[in-house]
Amino acid sequence: MEKLSGLSHLFMTIFLHNFSTFMVIPAITDVTMSALCPGRDECSLAIYLSGFQQAIIGLGTLVMMPLVGNLSDKYGRKALLTVPMSLTIIPLGILAYSRDRNFFYAYYVVRTLTAMVCEGSVHCLALAYVADNVSEGRRASAFGVLSGIGSSAFVCGTLSTRFLSTSSTFQVSASVAVIAAVYMRVFLPDSVVDDGLSAPILSKDKLHITQSDGESNRNGTLVLKRMPSLEDMVSLLNTSSTFSQAAVVSFFSNLADFGLHGSMMYYLKARFHFNKDQFADLMVISGIAGTISQLFLMPTLVPALGEAKLLSVGLLFSCAHMFLYSIAWSFWVPYVAAMFSVFFSLAHPCMRSIVSKQVGPCEQGMAQGCISGICSFASVVSPLAFSPLTALFLSDRAPFNFPGFSIMCIGFAMMIAFVQSMMIKAVPPLISNGGSGCNHAEV
């Protein structure tokens, strides 16, 4: 834990940022309904606008995540963290001032534009920062701690919302977002790449390397350009079979996760008449279980099982979690399923650790950005595939009586990710070529 103590300012930055963004989640639905359809419990306009926003944000982040990650390899993690953390403040400030209809539309437009850069980029850059400063053997545990910090911020943010009014929620959120950005600029040291961590796969010097899975690269040499192109992304995915397999796992697991998040609340409300307080209870249970898992179980299980096996275990429990939701026969079943977060929350940091070991220190941002872009693409496809299915089987027009059918289909998508994860084999760390440092440009 001595090395992780050097990441304390990063952990505090992530906690404050996630706290500010998570605490508005329980309140934003009420704000949207009040602004668009005051006095009504159902609003098709709100549903369509939310779906359109998610699709546009997903398309934007698909392009921006690899770009942000790649620019952070050149200009440093701290410089790039400043951009999304500063932009996050603007839409929160709009709703902190007023939540009237006109201000909501202003928030909607600004939020859509800024989220193309902000959505997921802070987490992506934080992963690259950790990879810069932690050796490969301890990287999975460090990623687990980072995810645990995010989960604890989720729990604290969700709980705080229950004791605040709607107006106070956005005011506190905007204030904490400002504090997070200032804290990061003042206290967070810029990332220092350790040249001995691993050898670069993409470099300006056109270094020749061998793939981590023992196969020679078809072209032998890859060139890291200042601005990533589609060819760069394809070359990165072809770097090794392990990286491409991790990309497939990322797509299907996030396809299922976004599908579940978009369908679960509507399903539970129709099936068991859940309200916002019961949704909050589920989120708190899941968040606490995930925090305990990532902070305490991850450091023990990674040395015993390895990232690849632990990834498969996490995805298997995620499948069970979704299938249990789909056939829920009792009001209490969703609460039991939420506790599975103790295991399925291990999957994401393990997958990110596997990805980080497939590239050198100069390409951590680009690699994590590439995976984040794939996750963003999944967030676009997911509502297109599962939202109509959920609406159909919760309506009177369902071809057969199975309200949880869409949730079961989501579980099958996660099963594909699980099967693919079983094909990922543990790989040895890349051998350093020495003298392959990464010099960040001054900003």
Side-chain angles (χ1 to χ4, degrees):
M1 297 299 290
E2 294 180 1
K3 185 66 175 179
L4 295 184
S5 64
L7 301 174
S8 57
H9 290 308
L10 174 68
F11 293 152
M12 178 57 71
T13 297
I14 295 303
F15 179 86
L16 292 173
H17 174 77
N18 286 354
F19 182 91
S20 69
T21 55
F22 286 143
M23 70 180 302
V24 302
I25 293 177
I28 192 62
T29 301
D30 291 339
V31 170
T32 303
M33 294 288 291
S34 298
L36 300 180
C37 304
R40 293 171 54 185
D41 293 329
E42 188 275 332
C43 181
S44 298
L45 178 60
I47 296 173
Y48 287 124
L49 283 180
S50 298
F52 176 77
Q53 184 182 55
Q54 180 180 342
I56 294 298
I57 292 173
L59 288 173
T61 54
L62 174 62
V63 176
M64 293 302 300
M65 285 303 97
L67 175 61
V68 169
N70 190 51
L71 289 176
S72 75
D73 289 332
K74 178 175 178 57
Y75 295 104
R77 317 302 181 198
K78 183 175 180 178
L80 268 294
L81 273 171
T82 305
V83 177
M85 294 187 68
S86 299
L87 291 177
T88 299
I89 300 170
I90 301 175
L92 294 175
I94 293 174
L95 290 187
Y97 181 79
S98 176
R99 288 149 304 283
D100 292 339
R101 186 185 186 94
N102 291 335
F103 282 93
F104 172 80
Y105 279 123
Y107 160 83
Y108 180 87
V109 173
V110 174
R111 159 69 179 162
T112 303
L113 295 176
T114 58
M116 293 180 182
V117 177
C118 303
E119 195 84 4
S121 60
V122 172
H123 186 63
C124 170
L125 294 171
L127 290 167
Y129 188 101
V130 171
D132 292 340
N133 294 277
V134 179
S135 62
E136 291 180 344
R138 305 176 63 181
R139 202 169 287 169
S141 297
F143 286 168
V145 172
L146 181 66
S147 297
I149 296 296
S151 296
S152 63
F154 175 79
V155 172
C156 295
T158 303
L159 284 176
S160 65
T161 304
R162 300 192 66 172
F163 301 101
L164 295 172
S165 64
T166 301
S167 60
S168 297
T169 296
F170 286 94
Q171 291 166 359
V172 172
S173 176
S175 300
V176 175
V178 172
I179 294 172
V182 172
Y183 182 93
M184 183 272 297
R185 291 301 305 175
V186 173
F187 294 104
L188 182 67
D190 209 345
S191 181
V192 178
V193 178
D194 183 353
D195 296 345
L197 290 180
S198 59
I201 284 182
L202 307 176
S203 71
K204 295 178 182 178
D205 297 328
K206 300 182 179 182
L207 297 176
H208 294 271
I209 62 165
T210 302
Q211 290 183 330
S212 59
D213 58 2
E215 297 178 0
S216 298
N217 191 290
R218 180 177 301 177
N219 297 324
T221 302
L222 297 174
V223 180
L224 176 61
K225 301 178 182 178
R226 180 170 299 183
M227 304 296 286
S229 64
L230 180 60
E231 184 180 357
D232 292 328
M233 299 298 103
V234 174
S235 297
L236 189 58
L237 289 172
N238 290 334
T239 295
S240 72
S241 61
T242 300
F243 193 99
S244 59
Q245 288 169 344
V248 173
V249 171
S250 299
F251 174 79
F252 281 102
S253 62
N254 280 273
L255 181 72
D257 284 337
F258 282 110
L260 181 65
H261 295 158
S263 304
M264 181 182 66
M265 291 187 179
Y266 295 106
Y267 166 69
L268 292 178
K269 190 170 187 63
R271 188 84 169 85
F272 301 111
H273 309 290
F274 269 40
N275 57 38
K276 66 179 183 65
D277 292 334
Q278 290 157 339
F279 289 138
D281 291 340
L282 283 179
M283 289 188 284
V284 169
I285 292 172
S286 180
I288 292 175
T291 302
I292 294 173
S293 172
Q294 292 158 344
L295 292 180
F296 301 106
L297 291 183
M298 182 73 97
T300 302
L301 294 178
V302 168
L305 298 178
E307 293 100 325
K309 290 183 179 179
L310 197 56
L311 170 64
S312 298
V313 170
L315 293 176
L316 179 61
F317 274 92
S318 187
C319 294
H321 162 255
M322 294 175 180
F323 288 138
L324 191 59
Y325 266 123
S326 69
I327 60 172
W329 63 90
S330 168
F331 178 89
W332 299 104
V333 170
Y335 293 96
V336 176
M339 297 177 67
F340 281 28
S341 178
V342 170
F343 297 102
F344 67 71
S345 62
L346 299 172
H348 181 74
C350 286
M351 187 272 297
R352 291 289 188 165
S353 177
I354 291 171
V355 168
S356 74
K357 292 183 178 182
Q358 306 308 305
V359 298
C362 301
E363 295 82 37
Q364 290 295 329
M366 186 176 183
Q368 298 295 347
C370 179
I371 295 299
S372 294
I374 291 171
C375 296
S376 298
F377 180 62
S379 74
V380 176
V381 176
S382 184
L384 299 178
F386 297 120
S387 294
L389 197 62
T390 301
L392 175 62
F393 278 88
L394 292 181
S395 69
D396 296 333
R397 298 178 289 103
F400 49 90
N401 185 24
F402 191 173
F405 181 76
S406 64
I407 307 294
M408 178 166 286
C409 292
I410 292 169
F412 286 131
M414 184 62 76
M415 183 64 71
I416 295 175
F418 166 70
V419 172
Q420 182 65 60
S421 72
M422 295 290 290
M423 302 178 186
I424 298 178
K425 298 180 181 179
V427 294
L430 295 171
I431 301 174
S432 174
N433 284 335
S436 57
C438 306
N439 294 320
H440 292 159
E442 297 292 334
V443 293

